[in-house]
Amino acid sequence: MGVEVGAQAARARALAVLRIRSRALAVALLPAATAVILGAGGATGHLVGPGWDSARAVVGAVAAVVLLAAAVIGLVVARARPAVSPTVAVAEGAAPDLYRLVRDLADRLDVPAPSAIALTPDCDSWLEDRTHAAHGPPPPRDGDEIAGPGGAHGPLHRRSAAAPVLVIGSPFLWWMRVGELRAVLAPVVAGTGPSAHPDIAAARRFVRGLDAAVAVCAHQGSRRPVLRPACSGIGWVARLMLRGCQLHVGEMERGVAAAAAERAQAVDYGLRIVAQEQVGLAYAGWDRLLTRVALPAWRMGRWPSRLDAGVVAALTELSRRDRLAEGFASRLGERPACDLLEEPGTVDEAASLLAARLFHGGPAEPGPDWSPVAWDDYPDEVVDRKWRTDAARLHRVLDALGVRRAPDPATVRHPGGPTLARVLDHLTDGLPPAPGATYGTSDPGHRPAEQPPTSTGPLAGTGPSAGTGPLAGTGPSAGTRPLTGTAPAADKAPNPNPNPGSSPSSGSAPSSAAPGEPLIPPEAGPGPAPAAASTDHRETAPDLARLVSAFGPDSDGNDDPPPANPRSAALAARLGAEVGREEAAVVPAAGAGPLAAGQGPDSALWDDTAFPLFPLQPPRTDRELLADHVTAMVCCAAMDTVGATPGLDWLDGPTLLVDGERVPDLTPRVLSLVEDGDAAPLRTWLVELGIRPEKPVRLG
């Protein structure tokens, strides 16, 4: 093949980057050259006199300082370790067919083969240069790579010191067929051709060194105040050169991607168009699975060990629900790409643990408080435990607020037990507060003296984010979805791509979904404002206004107005503080422990203090927490009174099953109670299903 136009443009830009490096070197050598000229002039008797002697002394001192500074900067840039994406390294013995597929692609494209293959728990694929001296291959040891029965037999053929590593998104292997995977990887593998050019490789090494130097200076300057001035100076010089290279580097990478795409056009061109649709579908299913299914388990200290297999189940469920997606289900009869692995279950488990670490910040290896969970055990070990834990926390907060167990003990068989009726009566607007109830105390054990009742006016406001589906188990996400399967309002979830700047990327296709079941709900405006609270509502706490103000625009940047139910505001604020204390107590354990087996030799370069690198969602607001906890209490009452069971919906996460059927309409009824203090819709729903709110429930 001839030289692609994109490759020529990339080389021209690489030379521009190298010229910046040469200019920086020339600036560093200029004072030394001037000192040499002055010294030579004095030695030959041409530049003599007191003035020239002073000039030689000053210029010589400046040259020495500049040369020393340049040497230090060059040493830092050369020795700084460029960032390496966290991946699961796969030895050739663990995936001989996959290595053979990549080798055949490299032969057809007439480019060097990648030096190794690794997997990332994301829907993207790229080439990553790990030729820096700090990335040199360490001595082999157990757990460094996923190895099959034959062990690690080495890299691909034609391995060279400059060959990059091919990183493949693990969801692609489970959702795509073998032919689709080959078509998607073709332009990625083709990128090894332009990457092997000496000028492009040198330019990339220079830029990565500058970027690593900036990070090292920032890190060391913050940890060691003595080195802060020197680190600031080195970082300033590195950032200055990076700004000069920015435009050229961007154009160089575009040229490399264009050259790779042009070279790969002859390989499975027609199939690649279809495969790109599967890229978008796999990304949407992966994002949905992480936010709806995996995140609730991670928060409970459990991590699903078969996330990639869950992507297939989620997208298959989508195909079952939407007749327009039947074509996707027909693909399942073809050979899946995960068959290219000798032990797909082992690889899936390693990728699932890495995903939990990247997106949630869990420990690096399993332990008593961080154990795997199989999909068959998910309803009992995650959903049931989550609901009962939330219900227990809700009643602990009510106890701390001084709310008694039952307004009328004579009407309840077990007046001391935790009941749903207690929650309903407390949050129902217009009821007189329970005697002795206190709101807004900073210490649950502190009970200020009861104050005279004060009248509070109506608090107008809008409801919480309509995307809060408590039963979806996603907490705050605006991308969560109510039980009905449609989202009246949702925020776009962030892209959990751990390498957005890679080239060329096969995971850049936009998310796609069938019309009947949108995978990523579109953004929408806030929901309608609920009715104002009753003007004769009274509270006994003098600091209720302070707690209600926590929902105002000045709290944590949240612009949502306060809810119409002051009791919900007070309860939600205390509940949010309680959850915050519990989460803060377990944060130090997230980065502790050695690295998990199978994460590859690059794992030693991670910054354990930075996890999670890509958090899926912002912290849940107090109102979302309250809605989740009330929903959990309702589900516990349903399980203990009418025999309902916890379930797992592949698209929406934890769900309640009554007589084997999914409950579709609980979320709006809970929001009506939480926002407006109107319990009538929820009470009607409880009567229809035969749920007894006055019966005590078992808490976790």
Side-chain angles (χ1 to χ4, degrees), residues 595-610:
L595 297 170
Q599 291 179 0
D602 54 303
S603 59
L605 304 179
W606 301 358
D607 180 10
D608 288 347
T609 62

Side-chain angles (χ1 to χ4, degrees), residues 44 126 362 490 543:
T44 57
W126 66 88
D543 54 353

Side-chain angles (χ1 to χ4, degrees), residues 4 67 93 138 169 190 234 376 485 542 583 598 696 698:
E4 295 83 2
L67 284 178
I234 297 173
D376 292 340
E583 292 179 349
R698 177 175 60 86

Side-chain angles (χ1 to χ4, degrees), residues 391-419:
R393 184 185 298 112
L394 177 62
H395 280 278
R396 286 200 306 270
V397 173
L398 289 175
D399 291 338
L401 292 175
V403 179
R404 64 189 181 188
R405 291 279 176 167
D408 187 3
T411 63
V412 183
R413 181 178 300 178
H414 304 284
T419 64

Side-chain angles (χ1 to χ4, degrees), residues 185 241 348 459 473 530 616 631:
L185 293 181
M241 288 190 285
D348 193 0
L459 297 173
L616 293 179
T631 301

Side-chain angles (χ1 to χ4, degrees), residues 461-486:
T462 60
S465 171
T468 305
L471 283 184
T474 60
S477 162
T480 56
R481 193 165 156 191
L483 290 178
T484 58
T486 59

Side-chain angles (χ1 to χ4, degrees), residues 111 120 128 152 165 180 208 251 255 258 273 443 450 489 499 509-510 518-519 562 587 603-604 645 674 690:
V111 296
T120 177
E128 186 162 290
V165 175
E180 295 169 348
R208 285 197 304 270
E251 294 299 328
I273 297 176
D443 182 4
E450 184 173 356
N499 197 347
L519 283 175
V587 165
S603 59
T645 58
V674 171

